Amino acid sequence: MIEALELSKSYGGVRAVDRVSFTVDQGTVLGFLGPNGAGKTTTMRMLAGTLAPSSGTARLAGRDVRAEGLAVRASVGYLPENNPLYEEMETADYLEWCAAARGLSGARLRERVKAAVAACGLREALGRPLGELSKGTRQRVGLAAAIVHDPPILVLDEPTAGLDPNQAREVRALIASLKAEKTVLLSTHILSEVEAVCDR
């Protein structure tokens, strides 16, 4: 489902990622471990199709990130490390906007937003501006945005960073519930988080 092949990225003379290769089978939650600055976020961005590799390539859902970038992005739900939200938007409007940006419309859009809201436990947050939500709820909104188009692959970069223990537990439970139907690549530097939710 995910295959990285000698994936590398350089910024000028700095080699941020150096020939990384790995595979993730369908229905697996893979923990991508490493200290801060190890290149996890750069690798995740290359896999999600938001950053071009300097060399090597990757295949997600059978599609090459270089040659079929749009198709790759359509099959991936990506939660970046710093979950960017439009704070003045209400939760429901934001999720509908995300779904429309993914090409959904009409009944399908409403159905997928409803499913994402239910999966992420966001019913109470629907009428509230994103800027008023707790950090944990904002992370759940980010996860809802990542799954709203029902992608087979989720790429989650430090999804519990900065959360309190209860919020982190909620997000980990949500990730565990998604693994039955998704392939998940989860980056973190917290070993206990990997032990709690990852298969490998």
Side-chain angles (χ1 to χ4, degrees):
M1 188 56 76
I2 301 174
E3 185 178 13
L5 304 165
E6 297 284 311
L7 206 55
S8 298
K9 182 65 180 179
S10 296
Y11 297 100
V14 177
R15 189 80 145 179
V17 176
D18 190 16
R19 298 185 314 264
V20 170
S21 296
F22 62 90
T23 60
V24 186
D25 295 330
Q26 185 171 351
T28 299
V29 179
L30 177 74
F32 197 49
L33 283 162
N36 290 333
K40 297 186 307 295
T41 293
T42 299
T43 302
M44 303 289 260
R45 289 178 62 203
M46 288 189 286
L47 292 171
T50 64
L51 181 67
S54 300
S55 63
T57 191
R59 296 182 66 79
L60 284 83
R63 300 183 185 276
D64 187 286
V65 294
R66 287 177 179 269
E68 302 170 276
L70 285 176
V72 166
R73 286 191 289 279
S75 66
V76 174
Y78 177 46
L79 178 64
E81 181 177 8
N82 297 312
N83 180 15
L85 298 173
Y86 294 103
E87 295 193 351
E88 69 283 356
M89 291 182 80
E90 289 187 356
T91 303
D93 294 336
Y94 175 73
L95 293 174
E96 289 172 4
W97 178 78
C98 290
R102 290 295 195 163
L104 303 179
S105 62
R108 178 67 175 153
L109 181 148
R110 291 187 297 277
E111 172 191 315
R112 286 304 310 154
V113 168
K114 184 177 179 181
V117 165
C120 298
L122 292 171
R123 194 167 165 170
E124 300 295 320
L126 285 180
R128 297 178 57 198
L130 296 169
E132 294 180 4
L133 303 178
S134 71
K135 186 160 174 82
T137 303
R138 290 163 58 98
Q139 283 297 87
R140 285 188 282 133
V141 170
L143 279 168
I147 66 171
V148 74
H149 61 297
D150 199 20
I153 298 169
L154 294 176
V155 176
L156 309 177
D157 193 2
E158 302 276 1
T160 61
L163 301 184
D164 69 35
N166 287 335
Q167 293 169 333
R169 193 165 34 254
E170 287 174 6
V171 170
R172 283 194 300 266
L174 174 56
I175 293 166
S177 73
L178 294 171
K179 81 178 196 176
E181 50 193 58
K182 309 285 182 200
T183 299
V184 182
L185 179 61
L186 166 74
S187 81
T188 185
H189 58 276
I190 304 168
L191 186 58
S192 60
E193 185 163 283
V194 170
E195 292 172 334
V197 297
C198 296
D199 300 308
R200 293 176 40 217

